[in-house]
Amino acid sequence: MGLLLVEDDRLLAEGLRGQLEKAGFSVDTTYTAKEAAILGEQEDYRAVVLDLGLPDGNGLDVLRKWRKHQVVCPVLILTARGDWHDKVEGLKAGADDYLAKPFQTEELVARLNAIVRRSEGRIHSMVKAGRFELDENRQSLKSEDGTEHSLTGTEFRLLRCLMSRPGHVFSKEQLMEQLYNLNDSPNENVIEAYIRRLRKLVGNDTIATRRGQGYLFNDAV
């Protein structure tokens, strides 16, 4: 799932990006408030990690602008340790959670998954659709007969996107937005290749093709 990371510390940002991608996120990174404001409105992110202390502005102002323009994706703000005022103001501005620096990456990932689940109306870390369960923590797929398959990062992101909204048709462009960041330049054939691989796990009828439109996860099969 696509995630926007707004952090002006480039070393920290690169480290976080690698860990977040291992956890199943496709990460776009920006270091400025100006670019963050634009990306948040133009792209369809499933979550945002927003540092408040940016070189060209305050992250809170970016957040307020997003909410004013109906950008509703969940946002986790990063604050300085003990700065309770920023935490309170961040929540008032529309943040969904906060994390004080320094922090453990594992906690950041856990909090991100939690706010995404809440935004989707879920409680547990399982995405259930039809005969299948997708375990977000283990990045594995389990069928009703108990068979379990470990997934690569890309397989997990693609299947999670499809299973999170069964019956919804995703175009190749929408799927690529969730799978890859803005610096990648994948060919649309990559999506077809991964769809073929996933169909070997769930069956051809479970991931259906809508000619000229895209793909959907059929939970009625």
Side-chain angles (χ1 to χ4, degrees), residues 118-184:
R118 290 200 298 269
S119 73
E120 296 175 349
R122 294 187 294 118
I123 300 175
H124 304 292
S125 59
M126 292 283 189
V127 180
K128 297 182 180 180
R131 299 177 291 112
F132 299 94
E133 292 183 354
L134 189 65
D135 189 327
E136 294 177 322
N137 295 329
R138 301 175 62 190
Q139 291 193 15
S140 63
L141 178 71
K142 186 176 182 180
S143 58
E144 62 183 358
D145 64 3
T147 304
E148 190 167 359
H149 300 277
S150 296
L151 302 171
T152 67
T154 304
E155 289 171 343
F156 170 74
R157 291 195 295 271
L158 178 54
L159 196 52
R160 188 192 184 286
C161 186
L162 292 168
M163 289 181 64
S164 65
R165 297 178 67 184
H168 178 84
V169 179
F170 290 91
S171 68
K172 287 182 181 179
E173 292 78 11
Q174 289 173 322
L175 292 175
M176 284 195 293
E177 286 177 1
Q178 295 299 325
L179 294 180
Y180 300 99
N181 61 54
L182 293 174
N183 294 322
D184 294 328

Side-chain angles (χ1 to χ4, degrees), residues 200-216:
K200 293 180 180 179
L201 300 180
V202 302
N204 290 335
D205 294 334
T206 302
I207 299 179
T209 300
R210 289 291 181 268
R211 190 172 299 277
Q213 296 178 301
Y215 302 96
L216 65 85

